[in-house]
Amino acid sequence: MLKIENLHAGVDGTDILKGLNLEVKSGEVHAIMGPNGSGKSTLGHVLAGRPGYNVTAGSATLLGQNLLEMETENRARLGLFLAFQYPVEIPGVSNMEFLKAAVDAQREHRGEPPIDAVTFMKKARETCKIVDLDPAFLKRGVNEGFSGGEKKRNELMQMILLEPRLAILDETDSGLDIDALQVVARGVNAMRSENRAFVMVTHYQRLLDYIEPDHVHVLADGRIVRSGDKSLALELEARGYAWLEEEVA
Amino acid sequence: MSQEHIDRAINREYAAGFVSAIDSDTLAPGLDEEVIQFISQKKGEPDWLLEWRLEAYRGFRQMEEPKWAHVHYPPIDLNAVSYYSSPRSMKDGPKSLDEVDPQLLETYAKLGIPLHEQEMLAGVAVDAVFDSVSVATTFRGKLAEAGVIFCPISEAVHSHPELVRKYLGSVVPRKDNYYAALNSAVFSDGSFVYIPRGVRCPMELSTYFRINEARTGQFERTLIIADEGSHVSYLEGCTAPMRDENQLHAAVVELVALDGAQIKYSTVQNWYPGDAQGRGGIYNFVTKRGVAHRDAKISWTQVETGSAVTWKYPSCILRGDNSVGEFYSVALTNNFQQADTGTKMIHLGKNTRSTIISKGISAGDSSNAYRGLVRMSPKATGARNYTQCDSLLIGHRCAAHTFPYIESRNPSAVVEHEATTSKVSDDQLYLCQQRGLDAEKAVSMIVNGFCKEVFKELPMEFAVEAGKLLEVSLEGSVG
């Protein structure tokens, strides 16, 4: 589904990713761990097409299409979803309006008519239940005055409604208490399917107790330096990253 | 998102920019007493009105163009402007719509303002003013049943002279300011509304102003009188063709809300704003003011997206006790547009209340200023004002300014002022695009969200229109 080869990318001429390779197959869940500054968040933004991030070498394809040449919105319409680490507020634009506009933009891209308001309302209310948000949040401005945990759950709600093919979760677990973490895990696990893949960027093994990954990768200095199964995460939890970085050096 | 994207998203074409090939009688450019006599004669005005105009003109000649607004433009040569232009077919005045030049009807149809009764918007009566004359007023029969008078002001001078004479200049004195004095001297047409005591006007009233002829100015004058306990909602819309030279529009609007009356006045101003390089466009120098008597309410709502330069402060004189004034404004400037707009709330009566919600949006190289005055007079015991003034910047070459003036001479009066400035951030756009929205849709959604508090004050059909207008006006603006 997602294939990244020898990817070099960064911001303002500084390379942060330095030859990254990764392949994610449909139905898989990958966890990407690594020390601060190793390039974990950069990877998500480069794939999503954040302005200001430049690719200097390598390739990345999603469903066989060259991601790096596509506009940000077209990557999203192809089925790439990024759950933001720090979701921004859009005052005055109701969550409902925003969600429907996003869903309709993607439907339009697939040649489908806009979803009718009643059906969508029902779906949105059901999703609120899954992510444990009061339906009143639908009427509030996007992330406007939401707590950190509410913002993360709102990201999850968007993911569920948009039904992406590839979801990248950028430290969605950070700053969450254990109850909220379980809500996130429940949402992701419910979404797992043969047609969908997940890439979870995280600092902590804790999340992986709830969402069991098929593969775990360690990112250090812009490259994947070790890959393994979930036992690698446990090892990292016990030993930290320093030994790996030394080994690589 | 790249600059190119944003530019594309904001720079769409001005849809109302066509010129109609209408045969017109246009007065040669120039301004003197003879011109004023000509206009007055053309309209067959009584002597008192001619004298009133000439007195305004004499006052005008002693005045200087105001320079305090935060706008810059080359000096306007008032002698290069034609002060009267009328479609030739209007010479003897149409008796009914069947007699109106089909070209004119077509112009309005193109603008989405059908004047044929069978096609008209249900529940909205329209007066259409083309250059210097009113070409059609719809639904007059139905309004007459309710006792409502809605007609061109040039006609009201003859049919209701006592009302016109009593109230003309009663709110905006003819020598109030430079442009108001000019308007008083040369005003050509506009709408006149009278709502009798206790009557709730059965439909929305609306005037649609259109400048067509080149090198003409438009100087319309609107007078609305709501008698005791009556209600009226009035909408005004404006467009002009695209031309390289600037054109002058200097209007005066006077509202009189007698005891317990309510007037809601909404404007969607979409005069030609000039091109992306700042060439051409309308100079919109307008004086709008209302007087609210005891328990009366005046509410101004404006969506200002057009004009090269806007200078406009719809104001309320809260004369009667318990009277209420409101001002809801969205002013959007793009490219090289400049706006200096806001309101004055003059609290004279006891327990008077006013609310000001102003949303300024600047994009491109434009400049957008809010200028507001809240005055609490010594007798305005218990008066209250709440002002909220928000600016939104799109890109990094535009400017937003806020000039709030507060004068309180009554210790019991309460004045609150809140102001914010924000930017359409790259992160907001990124979030929207990551969810599949294109840049254009994202910007218009963010801007619409910013304006929500004002849009909800507009009559329903206008609110939708206003949202679309913003979208069009924004094209090409993010950076």
Side-chain angles (χ1 to χ4, degrees), chain B residues 149-169:
Chain B
I149 304 165
F150 179 41
C151 67
I153 198 162
S154 56
E155 189 185 313
V157 168
H158 299 289
S159 57
H160 303 282
E162 69 301 337
L163 285 171
V164 176
R165 198 165 181 176
K166 181 170 180 192
Y167 290 107
L168 186 72

PDB file of all heavy atoms in Angstrom, chain B residues 149-169:
ATOM      1  N   ILE B 149     -45.583  53.364   1.826  1.00  0.00           N
ATOM      2  CA  ILE B 149     -45.156  54.101   0.634  1.00  0.00           C
ATOM      3  C   ILE B 149     -43.733  53.674   0.322  1.00  0.00           C
ATOM      4  O   ILE B 149     -42.845  53.758   1.174  1.00  0.00           O
ATOM      5  CB  ILE B 149     -45.199  55.622   0.872  1.00  0.00           C
ATOM      6  CG1 ILE B 149     -46.600  56.063   1.310  1.00  0.00           C
ATOM      7  CG2 ILE B 149     -44.759  56.372  -0.382  1.00  0.00           C
ATOM      8  CD1 ILE B 149     -46.624  57.467   1.894  1.00  0.00           C
ATOM      9  N   PHE B 150     -43.527  53.172  -0.882  1.00  0.00           N
ATOM     10  CA  PHE B 150     -42.190  52.775  -1.315  1.00  0.00           C
ATOM     11  C   PHE B 150     -42.067  53.224  -2.757  1.00  0.00           C
ATOM     12  O   PHE B 150     -42.715  52.674  -3.645  1.00  0.00           O
ATOM     13  CB  PHE B 150     -42.036  51.254  -1.208  1.00  0.00           C
ATOM     14  CG  PHE B 150     -40.689  50.725  -1.649  1.00  0.00           C
ATOM     15  CD1 PHE B 150     -39.512  51.397  -1.313  1.00  0.00           C
ATOM     16  CD2 PHE B 150     -40.590  49.545  -2.373  1.00  0.00           C
ATOM     17  CE1 PHE B 150     -38.278  50.900  -1.709  1.00  0.00           C
ATOM     18  CE2 PHE B 150     -39.354  49.038  -2.774  1.00  0.00           C
ATOM     19  CZ  PHE B 150     -38.200  49.727  -2.437  1.00  0.00           C
ATOM     20  N   CYS B 151     -41.310  54.287  -2.987  1.00  0.00           N
ATOM     21  CA  CYS B 151     -41.229  54.830  -4.340  1.00  0.00           C
ATOM     22  C   CYS B 151     -39.914  55.596  -4.505  1.00  0.00           C
ATOM     23  O   CYS B 151     -39.213  55.843  -3.533  1.00  0.00           O
ATOM     24  CB  CYS B 151     -42.420  55.750  -4.605  1.00  0.00           C
ATOM     25  SG  CYS B 151     -42.421  57.252  -3.615  1.00  0.00           S
ATOM     26  N   PRO B 152     -39.588  55.972  -5.734  1.00  0.00           N
ATOM     27  CA  PRO B 152     -38.404  56.801  -5.932  1.00  0.00           C
ATOM     28  C   PRO B 152     -38.565  58.126  -5.178  1.00  0.00           C
ATOM     29  O   PRO B 152     -39.673  58.655  -5.116  1.00  0.00           O
ATOM     30  CB  PRO B 152     -38.378  57.037  -7.439  1.00  0.00           C
ATOM     31  CG  PRO B 152     -39.199  55.941  -8.027  1.00  0.00           C
ATOM     32  CD  PRO B 152     -40.232  55.605  -7.017  1.00  0.00           C
ATOM     33  N   ILE B 153     -37.484  58.635  -4.647  1.00  0.00           N
ATOM     34  CA  ILE B 153     -37.597  59.862  -3.852  1.00  0.00           C
ATOM     35  C   ILE B 153     -38.013  61.034  -4.742  1.00  0.00           C
ATOM     36  O   ILE B 153     -38.715  61.941  -4.299  1.00  0.00           O
ATOM     37  CB  ILE B 153     -36.283  60.144  -3.076  1.00  0.00           C
ATOM     38  CG1 ILE B 153     -36.562  61.124  -1.942  1.00  0.00           C
ATOM     39  CG2 ILE B 153     -35.167  60.611  -3.982  1.00  0.00           C
ATOM     40  CD1 ILE B 153     -35.505  61.143  -0.877  1.00  0.00           C
ATOM     41  N   SER B 154     -37.638  60.966  -6.034  1.00  0.00           N
ATOM     42  CA  SER B 154     -38.016  62.047  -6.946  1.00  0.00           C
ATOM     43  C   SER B 154     -39.537  62.102  -7.107  1.00  0.00           C
ATOM     44  O   SER B 154     -40.112  63.159  -7.340  1.00  0.00           O
ATOM     45  CB  SER B 154     -37.354  61.832  -8.310  1.00  0.00           C
ATOM     46  OG  SER B 154     -37.694  60.560  -8.820  1.00  0.00           O
ATOM     47  N   GLU B 155     -40.163  60.942  -6.960  1.00  0.00           N
ATOM     48  CA  GLU B 155     -41.620  60.881  -7.061  1.00  0.00           C
ATOM     49  C   GLU B 155     -42.260  61.325  -5.747  1.00  0.00           C
ATOM     50  O   GLU B 155     -43.283  62.027  -5.727  1.00  0.00           O
ATOM     51  CB  GLU B 155     -42.005  59.439  -7.380  1.00  0.00           C
ATOM     52  CG  GLU B 155     -43.455  59.242  -7.728  1.00  0.00           C
ATOM     53  CD  GLU B 155     -43.749  57.758  -7.916  1.00  0.00           C
ATOM     54  OE1 GLU B 155     -42.978  57.064  -8.626  1.00  0.00           O
ATOM     55  OE2 GLU B 155     -44.746  57.297  -7.335  1.00  0.00           O
ATOM     56  N   ALA B 156     -41.619  60.928  -4.633  1.00  0.00           N
ATOM     57  CA  ALA B 156     -42.163  61.291  -3.314  1.00  0.00           C
ATOM     58  C   ALA B 156     -42.190  62.802  -3.126  1.00  0.00           C
ATOM     59  O   ALA B 156     -43.065  63.338  -2.432  1.00  0.00           O
ATOM     60  CB  ALA B 156     -41.334  60.627  -2.213  1.00  0.00           C
ATOM     61  N   VAL B 157     -41.237  63.483  -3.764  1.00  0.00           N
ATOM     62  CA  VAL B 157     -41.207  64.949  -3.672  1.00  0.00           C
ATOM     63  C   VAL B 157     -42.546  65.533  -4.143  1.00  0.00           C
ATOM     64  O   VAL B 157     -43.046  66.507  -3.598  1.00  0.00           O
ATOM     65  CB  VAL B 157     -40.040  65.509  -4.532  1.00  0.00           C
ATOM     66  CG1 VAL B 157     -40.154  67.016  -4.711  1.00  0.00           C
ATOM     67  CG2 VAL B 157     -38.705  65.129  -3.920  1.00  0.00           C
ATOM     68  N   HIS B 158     -43.142  64.856  -5.150  1.00  0.00           N
ATOM     69  CA  HIS B 158     -44.432  65.333  -5.671  1.00  0.00           C
ATOM     70  C   HIS B 158     -45.622  64.727  -4.947  1.00  0.00           C
ATOM     71  O   HIS B 158     -46.593  65.402  -4.646  1.00  0.00           O
ATOM     72  CB  HIS B 158     -44.539  65.007  -7.169  1.00  0.00           C
ATOM     73  CG  HIS B 158     -43.467  65.668  -7.968  1.00  0.00           C
ATOM     74  ND1 HIS B 158     -43.444  67.022  -8.190  1.00  0.00           N
ATOM     75  CD2 HIS B 158     -42.352  65.166  -8.553  1.00  0.00           C
ATOM     76  CE1 HIS B 158     -42.361  67.327  -8.902  1.00  0.00           C
ATOM     77  NE2 HIS B 158     -41.685  66.218  -9.126  1.00  0.00           N
ATOM     78  N   SER B 159     -45.531  63.425  -4.665  1.00  0.00           N
ATOM     79  CA  SER B 159     -46.709  62.769  -4.097  1.00  0.00           C
ATOM     80  C   SER B 159     -46.824  62.945  -2.579  1.00  0.00           C
ATOM     81  O   SER B 159     -47.917  62.878  -2.033  1.00  0.00           O
ATOM     82  CB  SER B 159     -46.687  61.280  -4.460  1.00  0.00           C
ATOM     83  OG  SER B 159     -45.489  60.685  -4.007  1.00  0.00           O
ATOM     84  N   HIS B 160     -45.705  63.120  -1.900  1.00  0.00           N
ATOM     85  CA  HIS B 160     -45.746  63.276  -0.432  1.00  0.00           C
ATOM     86  C   HIS B 160     -44.817  64.398   0.009  1.00  0.00           C
ATOM     87  O   HIS B 160     -43.907  64.187   0.822  1.00  0.00           O
ATOM     88  CB  HIS B 160     -45.350  61.964   0.246  1.00  0.00           C
ATOM     89  CG  HIS B 160     -46.207  60.814  -0.171  1.00  0.00           C
ATOM     90  ND1 HIS B 160     -47.479  60.617   0.333  1.00  0.00           N
ATOM     91  CD2 HIS B 160     -46.011  59.838  -1.089  1.00  0.00           C
ATOM     92  CE1 HIS B 160     -48.023  59.551  -0.248  1.00  0.00           C
ATOM     93  NE2 HIS B 160     -47.143  59.062  -1.116  1.00  0.00           N
ATOM     94  N   PRO B 161     -45.049  65.587  -0.525  1.00  0.00           N
ATOM     95  CA  PRO B 161     -44.107  66.686  -0.255  1.00  0.00           C
ATOM     96  C   PRO B 161     -43.971  67.004   1.233  1.00  0.00           C
ATOM     97  O   PRO B 161     -42.885  67.355   1.701  1.00  0.00           O
ATOM     98  CB  PRO B 161     -44.703  67.859  -1.033  1.00  0.00           C
ATOM     99  CG  PRO B 161     -46.133  67.508  -1.270  1.00  0.00           C
ATOM    100  CD  PRO B 161     -46.198  66.021  -1.346  1.00  0.00           C
ATOM    101  N   GLU B 162     -45.078  66.837   1.985  1.00  0.00           N
ATOM    102  CA  GLU B 162     -45.013  67.221   3.402  1.00  0.00           C
ATOM    103  C   GLU B 162     -44.022  66.342   4.155  1.00  0.00           C
ATOM    104  O   GLU B 162     -43.273  66.809   5.005  1.00  0.00           O
ATOM    105  CB  GLU B 162     -46.420  67.245   4.036  1.00  0.00           C
ATOM    106  CG  GLU B 162     -47.151  65.923   4.223  1.00  0.00           C
ATOM    107  CD  GLU B 162     -47.420  65.085   2.950  1.00  0.00           C
ATOM    108  OE1 GLU B 162     -47.445  65.645   1.826  1.00  0.00           O
ATOM    109  OE2 GLU B 162     -47.583  63.855   3.083  1.00  0.00           O
ATOM    110  N   LEU B 163     -44.016  65.023   3.825  1.00  0.00           N
ATOM    111  CA  LEU B 163     -43.093  64.108   4.506  1.00  0.00           C
ATOM    112  C   LEU B 163     -41.656  64.384   4.093  1.00  0.00           C
ATOM    113  O   LEU B 163     -40.747  64.427   4.929  1.00  0.00           O
ATOM    114  CB  LEU B 163     -43.444  62.651   4.162  1.00  0.00           C
ATOM    115  CG  LEU B 163     -44.685  62.078   4.852  1.00  0.00           C
ATOM    116  CD1 LEU B 163     -45.041  60.713   4.256  1.00  0.00           C
ATOM    117  CD2 LEU B 163     -44.454  61.954   6.358  1.00  0.00           C
ATOM    118  N   VAL B 164     -41.465  64.578   2.805  1.00  0.00           N
ATOM    119  CA  VAL B 164     -40.102  64.798   2.311  1.00  0.00           C
ATOM    120  C   VAL B 164     -39.548  66.087   2.911  1.00  0.00           C
ATOM    121  O   VAL B 164     -38.429  66.132   3.426  1.00  0.00           O
ATOM    122  CB  VAL B 164     -40.062  64.862   0.768  1.00  0.00           C
ATOM    123  CG1 VAL B 164     -38.655  65.202   0.278  1.00  0.00           C
ATOM    124  CG2 VAL B 164     -40.518  63.531   0.171  1.00  0.00           C
ATOM    125  N   ARG B 165     -40.394  67.104   2.892  1.00  0.00           N
ATOM    126  CA  ARG B 165     -39.913  68.398   3.362  1.00  0.00           C
ATOM    127  C   ARG B 165     -39.595  68.359   4.856  1.00  0.00           C
ATOM    128  O   ARG B 165     -38.645  68.975   5.331  1.00  0.00           O
ATOM    129  CB  ARG B 165     -40.963  69.468   3.075  1.00  0.00           C
ATOM    130  CG  ARG B 165     -40.375  70.837   3.126  1.00  0.00           C
ATOM    131  CD  ARG B 165     -41.271  71.873   2.510  1.00  0.00           C
ATOM    132  NE  ARG B 165     -40.595  73.165   2.596  1.00  0.00           N
ATOM    133  CZ  ARG B 165     -41.072  74.271   2.083  1.00  0.00           C
ATOM    134  NH1 ARG B 165     -42.213  74.267   1.430  1.00  0.00           N
ATOM    135  NH2 ARG B 165     -40.401  75.405   2.214  1.00  0.00           N
ATOM    136  N   LYS B 166     -40.399  67.603   5.592  1.00  0.00           N
ATOM    137  CA  LYS B 166     -40.207  67.541   7.038  1.00  0.00           C
ATOM    138  C   LYS B 166     -38.931  66.772   7.400  1.00  0.00           C
ATOM    139  O   LYS B 166     -38.209  67.134   8.318  1.00  0.00           O
ATOM    140  CB  LYS B 166     -41.416  66.855   7.682  1.00  0.00           C
ATOM    141  CG  LYS B 166     -41.325  66.761   9.199  1.00  0.00           C
ATOM    142  CD  LYS B 166     -42.630  66.294   9.806  1.00  0.00           C
ATOM    143  CE  LYS B 166     -42.507  66.208  11.327  1.00  0.00           C
ATOM    144  NZ  LYS B 166     -43.635  65.498  11.931  1.00  0.00           N
ATOM    145  N   TYR B 167     -38.678  65.686   6.674  1.00  0.00           N
ATOM    146  CA  TYR B 167     -37.607  64.801   7.125  1.00  0.00           C
ATOM    147  C   TYR B 167     -36.312  64.873   6.322  1.00  0.00           C
ATOM    148  O   TYR B 167     -35.267  64.445   6.785  1.00  0.00           O
ATOM    149  CB  TYR B 167     -38.106  63.349   7.145  1.00  0.00           C
ATOM    150  CG  TYR B 167     -39.111  63.108   8.248  1.00  0.00           C
ATOM    151  CD1 TYR B 167     -40.463  62.936   7.981  1.00  0.00           C
ATOM    152  CD2 TYR B 167     -38.687  63.071   9.586  1.00  0.00           C
ATOM    153  CE1 TYR B 167     -41.384  62.721   9.001  1.00  0.00           C
ATOM    154  CE2 TYR B 167     -39.592  62.861  10.608  1.00  0.00           C
ATOM    155  CZ  TYR B 167     -40.943  62.688  10.309  1.00  0.00           C
ATOM    156  OH  TYR B 167     -41.826  62.481  11.329  1.00  0.00           O
ATOM    157  N   LEU B 168     -36.361  65.382   5.093  1.00  0.00           N
ATOM    158  CA  LEU B 168     -35.137  65.445   4.283  1.00  0.00           C
ATOM    159  C   LEU B 168     -34.105  66.327   4.999  1.00  0.00           C
ATOM    160  O   LEU B 168     -34.393  67.472   5.329  1.00  0.00           O
ATOM    161  CB  LEU B 168     -35.464  66.016   2.893  1.00  0.00           C
ATOM    162  CG  LEU B 168     -34.303  65.994   1.895  1.00  0.00           C
ATOM    163  CD1 LEU B 168     -34.017  64.569   1.435  1.00  0.00           C
ATOM    164  CD2 LEU B 168     -34.617  66.880   0.691  1.00  0.00           C
ATOM    165  N   GLY B 169     -32.953  65.797   5.247  1.00  0.00           N
ATOM    166  CA  GLY B 169     -31.919  66.573   5.928  1.00  0.00           C
ATOM    167  C   GLY B 169     -32.113  66.675   7.431  1.00  0.00           C
ATOM    168  O   GLY B 169     -31.358  67.375   8.108  1.00  0.00           O
TER     169      GLY B 169
END
